[in-house]
Amino acid sequence: MRDTHSDNILRPALLKCYNAFESLRKLSVDNSFYDNISNLDNFLIEYRSITFAIQKSLGGENNPIYQKNLNKYLKGEIGKWLVQKRNMVDHEYPFDLGKRLTITVYNSISAEEIYQKDFDVDSEQPLMLILESLKEVMLSFHLYEVYFSCSFQFIENDKQKYDIYPFVKEGVSLMKQFLKGMYDDLMPNDRISDDLMSKIMLFPFDRISKDMLFVHDYVFYVKNDKFERGYFVNLRGTDKKLPVDSFTKQYGYNDSFILFMFLHIHIYKMQEQNLMPTFMIVYKDNTYTMQSYGYNMRTTMYRIINKIANLIKSDEVKEVYIVTETYFYSDDDINEVMKMSYSERIKTLKTETKLSFFRVNNDMTYNSFLFNSSDIIDDKFSNMEFENSMKYSTEVSFLTPLFNAFQAKARQNCD
């Protein structure tokens, strides 16, 4: 039996939510402070107006359906923060927004932070001007090309200068759940409400990787005195840890790494020798997470490896699996390789592409399996036996941060 509420009762609230999310969509590290303060203020005001719109439609705040979903989703600390900030920007003054910039230089074995500074509307500087001022620092690394990332945080300029992203992200997620709860309970029979609900649930802010929103990867070509920004995408399955057994038993394998290889070899063949680098992290409680990335410069690979290394230091990681394509050069070209940047080597020297799998364990054991890409087109390839192809060496020095992290974690556990 349908409720007696009118069919379009949620439409005003859904429109308010749509407006709030669209304001948030415009928030970007590339914008001026004026634009970002305006977008954030509008988000906070429209976000808070969602519940006001529902109260108006339901004839007050005491409706039991409203109270049930309000208490379930919006009564926590995140909800309090959003209400507090909405009251501030609506009745007192605009959000005191700041932006923190951290620049980190990477090589195959380490990462070094070379710059961090907080900016506000009075002190904002163009990013390229900052990068130009850091050229001498970058030249001091004595490299043909310098890989670095610019990581941004939106902060509130109070005493703590804290990152506001977790509050906004969780606020988006909770509002989606709240409106979905209201929608399921009220069951509006309204095409506009259906369409708005669909758009709201698909809004990606709380599902997109934070790195995709707030990290830019760059390379500085020393010889050409040129900065180049890369691109990357992060295809996330889920942040939730899943049981390894559910991964292996589904395909009838006991060894999760062997299965990881077989699956990605099959994907590589199906995608005509194209594959995004993929990282599988296995934890001591026999759960795992898996992430795939697309990118066009080595900076991103180095940054991801160091990010996983930081995770190892703080979490109970058992092992890490990686699949990626690697280039190998002729022995005749080895002297030329040492004189060129990575991009120059790829363009000018003869290379052989291998599909490469790596496993690094928390006891510092290491396995790698490298297969000629040209061989993988053979239908018999998937039935071949895998053999350990190399031990840890300078050829895979980009894994060094993982080894160092496991060693640091082992020392920490012994103390």
Side-chain angles (χ1 to χ4, degrees):
M1 183 175 178
R2 282 192 50 76
D3 201 302
T4 56
H5 296 302
S6 63
D7 287 336
N8 65 357
I9 196 165
L10 276 182
R11 191 188 293 187
L14 293 172
L15 279 166
K16 286 290 183 183
C17 185
Y18 181 84
N19 292 341
F21 286 1
E22 284 302 301
S23 295
L24 190 59
R25 192 192 301 274
K26 299 172 186 176
L27 196 70
S28 169
V29 296
D30 295 318
N31 289 347
S32 71
F33 267 96
Y34 307 123
D35 289 336
N36 280 331
I37 291 171
S38 174
N39 293 330
L40 186 58
D41 282 1
N42 289 335
F43 164 74
L44 291 167
I45 291 169
E46 290 295 278
Y47 185 98
R48 182 69 179 99
S49 297
I50 298 168
T51 51
F52 291 153
I54 290 181
Q55 291 174 24
K56 181 71 173 178
S57 295
L58 294 176
E61 62 179 337
N62 295 323
N63 181 279
I65 294 175
Y66 171 72
Q67 282 297 322
K68 180 189 76 171
N69 288 290
L70 181 73
N71 291 326
K72 186 175 181 180
Y73 298 112
L74 301 182
K75 281 294 189 180
E77 291 303 312
I78 298 296
K80 291 179 182 177
W81 184 88
L82 288 160
V83 169
Q84 177 189 1
K85 298 308 170 186
R86 182 266 181 187
N87 292 339
M88 177 187 74
V89 302
D90 197 27
H91 302 301
E92 299 177 32
Y93 43 78
F95 195 94
D96 191 8
L97 186 67
K99 185 165 64 177
R100 176 172 296 144
L101 170 62
T102 304
I103 299 178
T104 305
V105 170
Y106 303 95
N107 58 40
S108 60
I109 62 174
S110 64
E112 181 179 340
E113 184 181 304
I114 64 168
Y115 181 90
Q116 185 177 93
K117 187 173 180 180
D118 294 346
F119 298 93
D120 58 25
V121 69
D122 294 310
S123 62
E124 184 178 20
Q125 295 181 41
L127 177 60
M128 291 311 300
L129 185 62
I130 297 170
L131 297 184
E132 288 288 335
S133 73
L134 292 173
K135 279 185 177 179
E136 285 192 20
V137 177
M138 294 187 182
L139 290 171
S140 70
F141 289 95
H142 303 294
L143 300 169
Y144 288 103
E145 51 196 358
V146 180
Y147 303 105
F148 67 96
S149 66
C150 297
S151 177
F152 300 88
Q153 288 181 318
F154 284 125
I155 60 176
E156 183 171 15
N157 282 319
D158 65 356
K159 292 181 181 179
Q160 294 180 328
K161 291 186 178 292
Y162 62 92
D163 183 6
I164 67 171
Y165 168 77
F167 295 90
V168 177
K169 176 187 176 182
E170 187 64 14
V172 169
S173 178
L174 290 171
M175 185 54 73
K176 286 183 177 182
Q177 295 175 67
F178 168 76
L179 288 173
K180 182 66 165 58
M182 294 296 300
Y183 185 88
D184 290 344
D185 287 339
L186 295 174
M187 296 184 294
N189 183 24
D190 173 43
R191 180 183 61 82
I192 301 300
S193 296
D194 292 345
D195 186 46
L196 286 168
M197 192 72 218
S198 177
K199 293 181 184 300
I200 287 166
M201 296 306 293
L202 290 174
F203 180 67
F205 187 88
D206 56 329
R207 295 181 287 111
I208 292 178
S209 160
K210 183 180 180 181
D211 287 358
M212 285 188 64
L213 294 170
F214 301 119
V215 178
H216 296 169
D217 289 329
Y218 284 87
V219 61
F220 174 48
Y221 296 109
V222 173
K223 186 164 63 175
N224 299 330
D225 191 31
K226 176 185 176 183
F227 292 103
E228 180 182 330
R229 178 177 165 182
Y231 82 88
F232 76 96
V233 294
N234 178 200
L235 298 183
R236 292 152 45 112
T238 175
D239 286 333
K240 183 180 179 181
K241 297 177 183 179
L242 302 173
V244 171
D245 285 350
S246 67
F247 176 63
T248 54
K249 289 180 179 179
Q250 180 180 357
Y251 296 95
Y253 280 83
N254 294 322
D255 190 314
S256 55
F257 183 56
I258 296 295
L259 174 58
F260 179 80
M261 288 196 291
F262 269 120
L263 287 177
H264 285 92
I265 286 171
H266 179 69
I267 293 169
Y268 193 64
K269 291 171 67 176
M270 293 285 291
Q271 296 180 168
E272 299 181 348
Q273 297 180 304
N274 284 296
L275 182 138
M276 283 187 174
T278 299
F279 302 78
M280 180 171 171
I281 300 171
V282 181
Y283 298 86
K284 288 184 178 179
D285 62 358
N286 288 318
T287 60
Y288 77 94
T289 57
M290 196 180 304
Q291 305 267 341
S292 296
Y293 298 84
Y295 51 82
N296 68 339
M297 61 175 51
R298 298 176 84 180
T299 308
T300 308
M301 171 62 88
Y302 293 152
R303 177 170 57 78
I304 294 166
I305 290 290
N306 280 276
K307 184 178 180 180
I308 295 174
N310 289 332
L311 177 64
I312 290 170
K313 294 174 185 177
S314 63
D315 211 335
E316 294 300 313
V317 176
K318 182 167 68 174
E319 51 190 358
V320 178
Y321 308 157
I322 302 168
V323 58
T324 187
E325 288 184 290
T326 51
Y327 292 115
F328 286 80
Y329 304 94
S330 167
D331 290 341
D332 296 335
D333 291 331
I334 193 65
N335 290 329
E336 294 299 316
V337 167
M338 303 306 294
K339 299 175 184 177
M340 295 181 178
S341 68
Y342 180 74
S343 57
E344 288 175 327
R345 297 197 297 265
I346 299 303
K347 293 176 182 177
T348 60
L349 299 180
K350 184 178 180 181
T351 62
E352 181 180 21
T353 303
K354 294 181 184 290
L355 185 64
S356 305
F357 295 88
F358 306 96
R359 172 170 59 184
V360 182
N361 198 286
N362 62 355
D363 62 5
M364 271 66 76
T365 58
Y366 161 79
N367 302 101
S368 65
F369 298 82
L370 291 83
F371 306 108
N372 293 330
S373 295
S374 57
D375 293 337
I376 294 179
I377 61 173
D378 189 337
D379 289 338
K380 298 178 182 179
F381 179 82
S382 60
N383 297 321
M384 71 184 295
E385 293 184 1
F386 295 107
E387 295 181 357
N388 195 354
S389 56
M390 66 165 61
K391 295 297 183 183
Y392 177 55
S393 71
T394 55
E395 290 181 284
V396 287
S397 59
F398 76 95
L399 297 177
T400 299
L402 302 184
F403 286 94
N404 291 342
F406 277 129
Q407 288 173 341
K409 185 69 173 181
R411 288 194 299 268
Q412 176 185 330
N413 291 338
C414 290
D415 291 342

